[in-house]
Amino acid sequence: QVQLAESGGGLVQPGGSLRLSCAASGSIFSINAMAWYRQAPGKQRELVAIIFSGGRTNYADSVKGRFTISRDNAKNTVYLQMNSLKPEDTAVYDCNARIRPTTLSIEYEYWGQGTQVTVSS
């Protein structure tokens, strides 16, 4: 059983910073991509940032230059450093990971429980 545990959300003023963490645990043989998605009220879920096993990253245009995704492979953890936060960044942020639980299994997609980020004065 694989689980993703998120932390780091909360309330922050515009221009502030937050750091989200997501740790994968359980039966893990390998992790391919790890990503952060977000969903604001009344909007569709969108990909915020993704990092592949080799370190390549992609970002949504709306967060480029403000957010940084990174991962610690030894800890099976992905981070999202969010700077210069804006009210429009307010959303539930979900961690996503593509994991092979064992050497014999295919890759599965797993989700965290979601963490609320609210940017407001």
Side-chain angles (χ1 to χ4, degrees):
Q1 189 80 1
V2 175
Q3 292 185 326
L4 301 183
E6 302 166 0
S7 61
L11 173 64
V12 63
Q13 293 187 342
S17 298
L18 280 175
R19 189 193 195 206
L20 305 182
S21 299
C22 173
S25 62
S27 176
I28 299 172
F29 170 68
S30 65
I31 301 178
N32 184 4
M34 302 187 82
W36 290 96
Y37 288 75
R38 68 184 180 186
Q39 187 167 21
K43 295 187 176 181
Q44 288 189 331
R45 175 185 284 172
E46 64 170 344
L47 175 64
V48 177
I50 187 168
I51 183 166
F52 296 92
S53 57
R56 181 170 61 90
T57 59
N58 281 323
Y59 295 91
D61 288 342
S62 59
V63 306
K64 282 180 181 177
R66 299 188 298 122
F67 291 11
T68 302
I69 190 170
S70 61
R71 62 192 281 177
D72 184 331
N73 292 327
K75 296 181 179 180
N76 293 330
T77 299
V78 63
Y79 306 97
L80 186 68
Q81 178 66 44
M82 305 184 292
N83 299 327
S84 303
L85 282 160
K86 305 175 181 180
E88 51 264 43
D89 294 317
T90 296
V92 174
Y93 285 69
D94 287 310
C95 173
N96 171 279
R98 301 171 194 172
I99 297 173
R100 287 181 63 193
T102 71
T103 59
L104 299 177
S105 64
I106 61 173
E107 186 176 277
Y108 295 93
E109 192 171 37
Y110 296 90
W111 292 90
Q113 78 280 7
T115 185
Q116 177 70 45
V117 171
T118 302
V119 185
S120 174
S121 55

